[in-house]
Amino acid sequence: MRKPIGGVGNHKDLISSENGGITMKMRKGLWSPEEDDKLMNYMITNGHGCWSDIARNAGLQRCGKSCRLRWINYLRPDLKRGAFSSQEEELIIHLHSLLGNRWSQIAARLPGRTDNEIKNFWNSTIKKRLKKSASNSASPNMSHDSSSSEHQEVMAGLISIHDSSNIMAMYMDATRQYSSSSSAIQAMTMNHLIEPLTLSDAGDHHASCYGKTQVGIDGNGVSYHGCYEIFGGNLNLVDEIFGIPPLDIPNDNQYTKTENLHDRNPMIVSNNMNSVIINQCYNNNTHKVQTLAAGFENCWEGGNDLKVEEWDFEELMREASSFPSLD
DNA sequence: AACCCCCTCAACCGCACGTTA
DNA sequence: ATAACGTGCGGTTGAGGGGGT
C-alpha cells in the first residue's frame, strides 16, 4: 500500500484555507498514522458533530470534508476489511442492476462496506468481468436501444449471470410503488418479462405502506431478499407471499417474523420527505440476524403521501423493454 | 536487476441538496 | 428570498505495488 505523506512541511500537500480571517494551511493527500490517531481518538471521545469543528478540535490540519471521508472509508470501527466474498460480489451485481451507480444505496445493504470501496470494486473488477462475460455470451440478434456499447455488454453479462432475477426484482419494486394498473407494470407484462401478479395476490392485507425490496447480506454473511409491508403497526416480510424465492437463504433463515413496530424504539425515523425503518430482522428462531436501516425511503403508499423513490422508473422500463424475451 | 505497464484504491474534486442565518 | 455553510454523493485522479519481460 501507499505510504503516508511524511511531515506537514511538504508544501505540495498543503492548501490555504480562510478561517475567521486567519489563513490556515490545510493538509492534503494520504493520512499519516498520527492523523488517524487524532481523528479516531476525537471521534471515540466526542462522537459525531460538525465535521469542520471536528477537524479543528481534533487538532488536524485537514478540512472537515477530508476528515469525514477518512472516518467513513477507513477509521469507522464497523468496517469490514478484506476482499469481497463471492456472495457480496453477486449481491453488488444484483443491486447494481436495480440501482445503477447509486453506490451509497448499494453500500447501505452491505454492512461494513463503503460506497467508495464498492465503487472501486465495481470499476476495477466486476465491470471487467461482466464485459468479458458479455463478449462471450452476447447474441448478435439482441437489440438494444441504449447507445452505450459498454452498457450493452454489462447488461448482457447480467442477464447471462442472473437469468431473470433482476427483472423479477424490478417488478417486485414496481408492485410496491405503483398500482397494478400502472402502465409500467402493464408494459412489463406485455413484454413477457413478468407474470401478472398484483398486490392483491399478497392476501387480504390492507397495508398502509409497502416497502421496497430489501436485499443484503447479514452479519453472518447470509444473504437476504425480502419485501416488507406495514399494516396495523406491524412490519411483515412478504417475500414468500409474492412467490419470489429468497437468495440462497437457508430455510431456518426465512424472515417471517412479524415485528411490532411499537415495541422497539426507534423503529421508524421520518420527516415530510423521507421515512426510514430502523428495524431488527429476525429469523424463525427469533435470533437477531440483521439491523435494517434503509430501504423505505420515499416509497410510502396511502393517502396523499405516495412517493416514487428516487430512481427513474421510466428509464428502468426502457431498459427492461430492451431485454430479450425470457421464454 | 531494471524497466515498463497495468491495477488497485485512497483521496480529491465538483456538484447537488438541505439547513440555517 | 437568498447567501452561506455543511454534508453527501458520484466521478476522477494518481501514487504505489505487483507482475511480466
Side-chain angles (χ1 to χ4, degrees):
Chain A
M1 258 320 92
R2 280 187 282 178
K3 291 172 187 152
I5 293 157
V8 177
N10 188 349
H11 71 86
K12 186 179 78 140
D13 302 311
L14 297 173
I15 54 171
S16 294
S17 169
E18 283 286 336
N19 187 349
I22 301 165
T23 301
M24 294 182 68
K25 293 288 182 186
M26 291 299 209
R27 242 170 88 71
K28 285 176 66 177
L30 295 182
W31 281 63
S32 68
E34 292 76 23
E35 287 179 305
D36 281 347
D37 283 347
K38 280 183 180 177
L39 182 56
M40 179 69 102
N41 289 335
Y42 185 88
M43 292 302 290
I44 289 169
T45 311
N46 301 284
H48 281 279
C50 171
W51 283 107
S52 48
D53 289 344
I54 290 171
R56 207 177 309 118
N57 297 337
L60 290 160
Q61 288 180 296
R62 295 273 183 175
C63 64
K65 210 170 174 174
S66 181
C67 293
R68 176 185 160 269
L69 211 64
R70 186 62 177 170
W71 175 256
I72 289 172
N73 288 336
Y74 193 79
L75 296 176
R76 231 172 54 194
D78 59 331
L79 284 179
K80 190 187 284 183
R81 309 276 182 192
F84 283 87
S85 67
S86 58
Q87 212 161 23
E88 284 177 309
E89 182 180 331
E90 189 172 338
L91 181 61
I92 290 168
I93 294 170
H94 178 65
L95 288 168
H96 189 270
S97 74
L98 294 171
L99 299 165
N101 292 359
R102 290 179 171 83
W103 307 116
S104 60
Q105 289 189 31
I106 294 172
R109 285 146 176 95
L110 280 103
R113 300 297 188 182
T114 70
D115 52 357
N116 208 33
E117 200 177 7
I118 293 168
K119 180 172 58 182
N120 283 331
F121 183 57
W122 178 270
N123 287 329
S124 65
T125 308
I126 299 181
K127 209 156 126 184
K128 220 172 298 167
R129 194 171 305 163
L130 291 178
K131 267 190 179 181
K132 199 176 173 185
S133 163
S135 64
N136 291 338
S137 64
S139 156
N141 294 330
M142 282 172 64
S143 64
H144 290 274
D145 292 331
S146 170
S147 58
S148 160
S149 62
E150 179 187 277
H151 178 79
Q152 290 177 17
E153 288 166 1
V154 169
M155 291 313 291
L158 285 171
I159 289 167
S160 70
I161 289 170
H162 290 286
D163 196 32
S164 61
S165 66
N166 55 335
I167 296 171
M168 288 309 298
M170 275 195 295
Y171 170 64
M172 290 165 69
D173 280 343
T175 51
R176 278 149 190 79
Q177 293 171 48
Y178 292 83
S179 71
S180 59
S181 61
S182 155
S183 59
I185 298 297
Q186 287 176 347
M188 291 182 93
T189 308
M190 288 175 68
N191 282 328
H192 307 290
L193 297 175
I194 57 173
E195 292 297 319
L197 290 169
T198 67
L199 280 177
S200 62
D201 293 327
D204 293 324
H205 303 315
H206 298 287
S208 57
C209 163
Y210 288 90
K212 263 195 78 175
T213 304
Q214 296 284 327
V215 285
I217 289 183
D218 66 30
N220 301 319
V222 178
S223 65
Y224 61 84
H225 188 162
C227 302
Y228 298 86
E229 62 178 11
I230 293 174
F231 64 96
N234 291 328
L235 174 71
N236 291 332
L237 187 131
V238 293
D239 216 6
E240 294 142 314
I241 296 171
F242 280 82
I244 309 299
L247 296 175
D248 304 327
I249 302 175
N251 283 339
D252 64 347
N253 277 326
Q254 303 285 333
Y255 304 154
T256 55
K257 176 74 177 172
T258 295
E259 289 294 314
N260 188 318
L261 295 180
H262 304 298
D263 285 346
R264 296 167 189 278
N265 195 24
M267 295 301 290
I268 301 178
V269 181
S270 63
N271 57 25
N272 290 337
M273 297 301 295
N274 295 289
S275 295
V276 178
I277 293 288
I278 306 293
N279 184 48
Q280 313 292 313
C281 195
Y282 289 72
N283 63 18
N284 277 343
N285 300 323
T286 67
H287 293 132
K288 179 182 166 188
V289 179
Q290 171 72 19
T291 298
L292 302 173
F296 271 73
E297 304 93 331
N298 295 345
C299 57
W300 295 96
E301 190 178 30
N304 298 322
D305 292 328
L306 179 61
K307 299 210 169 57
V308 187
E309 252 279 340
E310 28 327 324
W311 42 290
D312 182 350
F313 188 76
E314 293 305 322
E315 177 63 25
L316 205 57
M317 279 307 304
R318 280 193 290 278
E319 301 289 0
S321 300
S322 69
F323 289 158
S325 168
L326 295 169
D327 294 341

